[in-house]
Amino acid sequence: MSRLARSEPLQARALLRPYALVYLYRRRLRVHGAQELLAGIGVAIAVALVFAAMIANGSIAGSAGEVVHAVVGPANLQLHARDAEGLDQRLLVRVEHLPGVAQAAPLLEQTATLVGPGGHSATVDLAGTDVSLAMLNGLAHTIPLAAFSPGGIGLSKTSAEELGVSASDAPKGEVLVQLRGGAHRLRVAAVLGREAAGGLSQARIAVLPLAVLQRLAGLRGRLTRILIRTQHGHEASVRAELLRISGGRLTVARADADVALLRQALRPSDQASGFFAAISALLGFLFAFNAMLLTVPERRQAIADLRLIGTKRIAIMQIVAFQALCLGLAASLVGLVVGYALSLGVFHQSSGYLAEAFTLGTSTVIGSQPLLLSLGGGILATLLASAVPLIDLRRGRALDAVYFEEGAPGNALGSHVQIRLIVGAGCLLALTTALFELQPSLALAATGVLAMATVFTVPLAFTAMLLLAGAIATRYQKLTILQVALTSLKAATLRSLALAATGAVAIFGGIALGGARDDLLRGIDAFSHSYAADADLWVSNPGDNQATLPFTPSRHTQQIAQVPGVKSVNVFQGGFLELGDRRVWIIARPPGFNRQVLSSQIVEGSPGAAIKHLGEGGWIAVS
């Protein structure tokens, strides 16, 4: 059968049937499978990097949300203490008897360090409560009653694994609880897996009877929060009554307010992850585009052949789009699987710096937004990269123009295009400068714009390099290898530019991310030195590197002061406080002990005046 006869179905229809599209793509895979594989690898890498960065960062807030919702259950309001001393437990009775309150449960939370039988330690959130909380959140039927037994402690599965405690060790094993300057040995009453505690099993928590934790923490008759479930339609009236009871000294908020506070604290991390994802997407697109360019000569010739036999433009576009869609979908699915694996390992983010301020989970949470964005972005990148051969479909262009071009078809970059790219790079550079100068908070967005300007500048740098290398080759005729390389580069200009652009963005991203990391470490180092400069030695709770966990200092202060060589002993106080929609770190130093911190951190005002005012009392320094 002749080639023209085989092409009759393509002429007869403006749009092809699905089986014809599948047949044509199968033929392409048999002939050009290696080229399609390279292009698919580029798309998969981009999708994997973007997906891993997005879910690794989103899992912090997502897993914490699972923990919070597992604790609060159907509760919709809470009465929350603002300091480490908590609120009066007698308020629980008043809250329970408010009109519109269906149920209320007490909760005392403390951060402690647990030491397992083998010496392994973990910083966990101790939750002291009674059966009423289990009744509220629906865990009364699954959590074993042994977890609330006097003298015992229930460990989540994650906490038990970090301490080296197995379920078979309960109830014979013991752990050392280091809390508020004291150490207490408690029997492991239960290990709470997902079947018993749901999402709580993935958090670093431990459960104690309320009275036991109050005694160990020295907070008898105190709670940190009261969780409230209101009757239908009574939330507003109950909230008003809670505000009246609190008298402005306690926080009245939604039961899951901690999730919103955590998301606010994660905003800088989200911005950094977004920038990394954008650089990864740009690199992946360039990689895929470069791999697609390997197929451009053959694709353009195939398009010319189809046009010569009368195939409609819409049918050619349909073939190209279908093949790009198949490749993009397959590569993106592979990228999602690889990205998930990366999020569990290489990209797994340490959230330990937030553990003292929030109750965090350890599970990986995959949201619909990262999934759809990564999948859609991979398919879109493939479609854009595949659209290059369609330039031959422009009206007024000869059907077989591709056969009369110099060099490999589809790889020439005209001078007018280079000029446009340089002008575009200049505009992007001006925009970047304006963003940095006028709106420093948009620095990450400006950096992304600068990355695009880098790509647009590559053709000029590439042309300059070719001219310089050409001059060297002309002067030194013996450099035959250089002349061969120049000939090869000029014959495949667009491919060479895509490779150079990929390398440029990779180097740009490496320098930008590496520089940001170095700046962060220098900032932390400078602050740490100034933060600790007021004393030669510090005494704090184990694992409390931010000095936010309180203990009673009087007895320790007297004992330390009697140690030979000690000149003076002063008390330092730190903690976390809700201020608007933020959880802020409060640092309270002794009068006159703020000089180092203020000298290194102050950006407006005089450090001397600030030190004077802080010593007077009634003043604060705000970041």
Side-chain angles (χ1 to χ4, degrees):
M1 184 180 292
S2 68
R3 182 177 183 180
L4 184 61
R6 290 197 306 268
S7 304
E8 286 178 355
L10 299 181
Q11 301 177 52
R13 288 179 168 272
L15 291 177
L16 303 182
R17 294 181 183 273
Y19 73 85
L21 294 172
V22 173
Y23 169 75
L24 290 173
Y25 193 43
R26 287 177 61 188
R27 284 192 58 186
R28 170 166 185 79
L29 289 177
R30 284 198 297 266
V31 179
H32 303 287
Q35 294 175 344
E36 294 292 291
L37 178 62
L38 285 174
I41 289 174
V43 175
I45 289 175
V47 172
L49 293 175
V50 172
F51 189 55
M54 293 179 72
I55 65 174
N57 189 71
S59 290
I60 298 178
S63 60
E66 288 183 348
V67 173
V68 169
H69 289 108
V71 171
V72 303
N76 52 341
L77 291 176
Q78 65 168 312
L79 195 62
H80 188 203
R82 292 179 177 173
D83 58 29
E85 298 306 313
L87 54 88
D88 194 334
Q89 186 174 355
R90 290 174 294 184
L91 285 175
L92 176 62
V93 178
R94 294 181 61 186
V95 171
E96 288 176 328
H97 289 85
L98 287 177
V101 171
Q103 195 174 0
L107 187 62
L108 176 62
E109 300 156 292
Q110 296 290 303
T111 302
T113 297
L114 305 187
V115 182
H120 300 287
S121 63
T123 299
V124 303
D125 293 308
L126 294 182
T129 186
D130 54 27
V131 181
S132 63
L133 178 62
M135 295 293 293
L136 174 66
N137 57 26
L139 296 176
H141 301 292
T142 56
I143 290 185
L145 292 177
F148 299 101
S149 62
I153 183 172
L155 302 176
S156 68
K157 182 181 178 182
T158 298
S159 299
E161 288 175 349
E162 292 192 11
L163 295 172
V165 176
S166 63
S168 59
D169 293 332
K172 295 176 289 186
E174 287 187 339
V175 294
L176 181 67
V177 180
Q178 297 173 330
L179 171 66
R180 295 176 73 102
H184 317 272
R185 288 200 171 273
L186 294 178
R187 171 178 48 84
V188 178
V191 175
L192 308 176
R194 181 168 287 275
E195 72 286 349
L200 295 178
S201 63
Q202 301 298 315
R204 295 181 179 90
I205 65 168
V207 180
L208 289 170
L210 177 60
V212 173
L213 183 55
Q214 288 174 328
R215 175 175 56 83
L216 297 181
L219 296 172
R220 296 182 184 274
R222 310 297 292 182
L223 305 172
T224 51
R225 70 179 78 199
I226 298 174
L227 297 173
I228 303 136
R229 178 172 67 88
T230 64
Q231 297 173 0
H232 181 69
H234 288 76
E235 180 176 340
S237 60
V238 172
R239 180 188 285 269
E241 285 298 313
L242 291 175
L243 289 171
R244 182 184 60 80
I245 292 175
S246 67
R249 297 183 298 274
L250 303 173
T251 297
V252 178
R254 290 195 55 80
D256 59 354
D258 278 22
V259 179
L261 293 171
L262 177 59
R263 293 190 185 279
Q264 174 64 40
L266 286 171
R267 283 184 63 188
S269 179
D270 290 340
Q271 290 177 329
S273 297
F275 172 70
F276 180 79
I279 293 295
S280 300
L282 185 57
L283 278 173
F285 173 75
L286 290 172
F287 189 13
F289 185 75
N290 185 67
M292 281 291 188
L293 287 178
L294 296 175
T295 71
V296 165
E298 175 272 327
R299 286 177 183 269
R300 291 187 64 189
Q301 293 174 32
I303 289 175
D305 292 341
L306 290 173
R307 295 189 69 192
L308 286 170
I309 63 175
T311 307
K312 302 292 186 181
R313 285 186 176 88
I314 188 66
I316 295 174
M317 295 174 64
Q318 183 187 9
I319 294 171
V320 173
F322 176 77
Q323 294 180 0
L325 183 63
C326 291
L327 177 62
L329 183 60
S332 297
L333 291 176
V334 173
L336 292 178
V337 175
V338 175
Y340 177 72
L342 287 174
S343 70
L344 297 178
V346 179
F347 282 26
H348 180 70
Q349 296 198 29
S350 173
S351 54
Y353 67 100
L354 294 168
E356 293 184 17
F358 299 95
T359 302
L360 304 175
T362 58
S363 59
T364 299
V365 178
I366 302 178
S368 58
Q369 183 178 5
L371 189 66
L372 295 176
L373 285 177
S374 302
L375 184 63
I379 295 174
L380 180 61
T382 312
L383 289 171
L384 292 175
S386 300
V388 175
L390 297 180
I391 59 174
D392 288 335
L393 297 182
R394 290 175 295 176
R395 295 191 181 276
R397 186 175 178 84
L399 301 182
D400 56 351
V402 65
Y403 290 112
F404 299 96
E405 292 183 354
E406 295 183 2
N411 283 300
L413 189 67
S415 58
H416 62 286
V417 177
Q418 296 189 37
I419 293 174
R420 292 174 183 173
L421 290 176
I422 291 302
V423 173
C427 294
L428 291 178
L429 184 60
L431 177 60
T432 302
T433 304
L435 289 175
F436 274 125
E437 292 295 330
L438 302 178
Q439 197 68 32
S441 62
L442 297 178
L444 285 176
T447 307
V449 175
L450 189 59
M452 288 302 301
T454 302
V455 175
F456 288 177
T457 310
V458 167
L460 177 63
F462 186 75
T463 302
M465 185 273 297
L466 288 180
L467 292 175
L468 177 61
I472 295 174
T474 302
R475 183 177 180 84
Y476 301 99
Q477 298 291 333
K478 294 182 179 181
L479 298 177
T480 55
I481 295 179
L482 178 58
Q483 294 176 357
V484 173
L486 285 174
T487 303
S488 176
L489 288 173
K490 291 177 180 179
T493 305
L494 203 54
R495 295 181 193 171
S496 303
L497 284 174
L499 274 176
T502 304
V505 175
I507 295 172
F508 176 91
I511 293 175
L513 295 173
R517 176 183 179 276
D518 292 341
D519 288 343
L520 176 63
L521 292 178
R522 279 194 296 269
I524 292 175
D525 182 70
F527 176 75
S528 299
H529 278 86
S530 62
Y531 180 74
D534 289 336
D536 298 313
L537 293 174
W538 290 65
V539 177
S540 64
N541 284 288
D544 183 17
N545 58 5
Q546 293 172 295
T548 58
L549 305 181
F551 60 91
T552 304
S554 56
R555 177 172 57 89
H556 301 289
T557 302
Q558 297 172 1
Q559 292 176 341
I560 295 171
Q562 296 173 2
V563 174
V566 173
K567 182 178 180 180
S568 63
V569 182
N570 292 278
V571 177
F572 174 95
Q573 181 67 45
F576 294 97
L577 177 70
E578 279 79 12
L579 186 63
D581 61 346
R582 300 172 185 267
R583 182 163 291 174
V584 298
W585 181 14
I586 302 296
I587 300 173
R589 292 174 176 270
F593 277 71
N594 305 279
R595 188 174 304 277
Q596 290 289 342
V597 173
L598 293 175
S599 297
S600 64
Q601 297 292 314
I602 225 166
V603 293
E604 279 189 37
S606 166
I611 294 171
K612 176 184 176 183
H613 288 315
L614 288 174
E616 296 171 355
W619 293 80
I620 60 172
V622 183
S623 70

